[in-house]
Amino acid sequence: MNEDPRRAIPRTDSLLALPAVVDARTRLSGAAVRERIRAVQDRARRGELAPADVAATLAADLAATAPSTQTPVLNATGVIVHTNLGRAPLGAAAAAAVADAAGYVDVEMDLRTGLRSRRGRGARAALLAACPQAQDALLVNNGAAALVLATTALAAGREVIVSRGELIEIGAGFRLTDLIESTGARLREVGTTNRTHLRDYVDAIGPDTGCLLKVHPSNFRVSGFAADVAVGDLAAAAREHGVPLIADLGSGLLAPDPLLPDEPDATTALRAGADVVTASGDKLLGGPQAGVVLGRSDIVERLARHPLARAVRIDKLALAALEATVAGPPSPVTGYLHADADRLRARAEALATAVGGVVVAHDGRVGGGGAPGVPLPGYAVRLPEAVALPLRTGSPAVLARVHDGAALIDLRCVPEADDPRLIDAVRAALARG
Ligand SMILES: *Cc1c(COP(=O)(O)O)cnc(C)c1O
């Protein structure tokens, strides 16, 4: 009598004892490992896999399974702050700081006294050193939280005066108007879409005014017959009437960058008289997701003591990464922003030679709502559009820019050390595509 070949399929307990499976259990839960075992056994039961190959297939499958399903991506789009790819990539120092902070850390303790201390002292000190114009700093979960906390603490139940030209949608359907109104503050819109004058703000100031708000319109630009009011002029009016002025920078430069003359920065806004600025940690600051509040110590203190501050508290990993980003060498975002065009061209030519593509001029972008009109001159390797899918689903995953019927590989945001991996990935994708 012929034995059922399915009886030769290795049993779960023998598979669990394989060294590859024991090793995988340091990275994956018992349930996840059993699920993999069951899946491979099922393939053998269906006849898709020989019983003799079950152990090796399982080992290969588990070896390829990372503890997180978030797949690292080589960003070949030329867009530096790419929201769908997690915005700013952390530098080596920030990544190391995150690893160090993964265990127990003194995030809220003074180890000398053994007493509780203010959360995130190091990150605060690093920010104040990088932006001495600020009297104090507070870190929260993200830029939107910083803005919500500021408007809540300063204007809940009262009015936030803001220009109609600055009521923006910051992406994925999130509107600043909705965000601010969710805090219980009332929006007092002044001016028009294209022109707002100082007297529009001044006429609106009254006993119900909680604060003035100046928002950087980030991802859009009004040109032509347009006027807005500079922070300095608004600050003078705010001071005269005894109301605070918030400047929402959006992106997060701490000091001016000559490459981005129209991008606001914290130092300039505070020097011009803003009482507090709010900014985003993972846009041009180049750090982790975080919200940054910088400015007058009495106002920062008021925000820190507000009950909402607890609901938007920043996590210890982000604090570690932010401190390391601000106090450390230039972040990858800064490096990619200032990438040398000649070097980009040489790298693109090497890639084109290796894989057989054409080098074309290609502008990179800041992304993430930053400096929308500013092109960053560089180069890309032009490949057939059909290669984009195998590139995305290959290993490593590579995201090209699909444009005009082509897949464009821009090396601006690819660490140069990864060029050999990128070349291999493109070759593999061309072979598959
Ligand atoms: C991006 C942005 C925000 C929100 O910052 P997040 O860190 O994304 O929460 C707020 N205001 C402006 C002007 C922005 O551009």
Side-chain angles (χ1 to χ4, degrees):
M1 204 174 79
N2 267 346
E3 202 167 304
D4 184 346
R6 286 181 299 184
R7 293 185 68 108
I9 296 170
R11 298 165 60 96
T12 302
D13 46 4
S14 73
L15 292 172
L16 277 170
L18 292 173
V21 178
V22 173
D23 173 64
R25 293 202 54 171
T26 63
R27 294 177 285 116
L28 303 171
S29 73
V33 170
R34 279 169 200 279
E35 178 55 39
R36 297 297 168 132
I37 291 176
R38 198 160 32 240
V40 177
Q41 287 171 329
D42 283 348
R43 286 175 60 195
R45 281 188 200 106
R46 292 194 299 267
E48 297 165 14
L49 192 66
D53 293 336
V54 164
T57 303
L58 176 65
D61 183 24
L62 288 172
T65 306
S68 161
T69 58
Q70 292 191 48
T71 305
V73 177
L74 291 178
N75 174 10
T77 63
V79 178
I80 299 173
V81 180
H82 198 301
T83 300
N84 302 143
L85 295 182
R87 289 197 178 159
L90 296 181
V98 169
D100 287 344
Y104 294 118
V105 281
D106 60 344
V107 62
E108 258 182 55
M109 178 180 269
D110 181 336
L111 289 174
R112 274 168 314 179
T113 62
L115 298 176
R116 180 174 182 165
S117 72
R118 182 168 171 162
R119 189 178 179 85
R121 303 173 306 281
R124 173 175 170 269
L127 279 169
L128 294 178
C131 181
Q133 199 70 34
Q135 292 174 355
D136 202 353
L138 175 69
L139 283 154
V140 293
N141 183 56
N142 60 5
L147 180 61
V148 165
L149 179 60
T151 50
T152 304
L154 299 180
R158 297 199 289 158
E159 288 179 352
V160 177
I161 302 179
V162 62
S163 161
R164 288 196 171 89
E166 298 173 0
L167 294 173
I168 58 165
E169 179 170 311
I170 55 181
F174 280 100
R175 296 188 167 155
L176 226 70
T177 38
D178 300 339
L179 206 60
I180 293 168
E181 284 180 331
S182 75
T183 70
R186 293 190 303 281
L187 271 183
R188 178 76 182 263
E189 303 172 18
V190 299
T192 61
T193 305
N194 59 330
R195 291 173 74 84
T196 302
H197 307 284
L198 185 59
R199 65 168 183 277
D200 296 322
Y201 289 92
V202 172
D203 288 349
I205 296 177
D208 256 6
T209 305
C211 63
L212 303 188
L213 173 64
K214 170 90 182 159
V215 181
H216 179 60
S218 299
N219 51 5
F220 96 115
R221 181 151 299 204
V222 179
S223 60
F225 187 57
D228 67 347
V229 183
V231 169
D233 297 330
L234 269 185
R239 225 177 352 254
E240 189 187 327
H241 293 86
V243 293
L245 169 64
I246 305 172
D248 180 26
L249 307 179
S251 77
L253 286 180
L254 297 178
D257 186 325
L259 198 64
L260 305 172
D262 295 332
E263 197 61 28
D265 69 277
T267 299
T268 305
L270 291 171
R271 191 172 285 152
D275 295 297
V276 284
V277 300
T278 58
S280 182
D282 55 1
K283 291 186 185 168
L284 282 171
L285 190 49
Q289 177 184 306
V292 181
V293 182
L294 290 162
R296 255 172 60 187
S297 48
D298 60 326
I299 294 185
V300 172
E301 184 69 27
R302 220 166 123 187
L303 269 53
R305 286 180 186 282
H306 193 281
L308 186 61
R310 179 62 181 77
V312 295
R313 187 169 82 173
I314 187 169
D315 136 78
K316 66 173 178 173
L317 302 179
L319 277 171
L322 194 105
E323 178 178 357
T325 301
V326 174
S331 70
V333 163
T334 305
Y336 300 157
L337 185 61
H338 294 270
D340 176 61
D342 289 338
R343 187 73 210 135
L344 289 175
R345 176 181 215 145
R347 292 170 61 200
E349 278 166 356
L351 172 63
T353 304
V355 304
V358 185
V359 175
V360 295
H362 184 247
D363 290 339
R365 298 279 163 184
V366 171
V374 178
L376 305 169
Y379 300 89
V381 176
R382 193 185 164 92
L383 297 171
E385 182 177 344
V387 84
L389 171 62
L391 275 175
R392 285 200 306 276
T393 52
S395 180
V398 177
L399 187 67
R401 175 168 182 233
V402 174
H403 180 68
D404 231 359
L408 298 164
I409 310 285
D410 185 321
L411 297 176
R412 175 181 298 277
C413 309
V414 176
E416 195 164 342
D418 282 327
D419 282 3
R421 292 172 70 224
L422 180 68
I423 289 173
D424 288 347
V426 173
R427 281 197 180 123
L430 286 167
R432 281 209 287 151

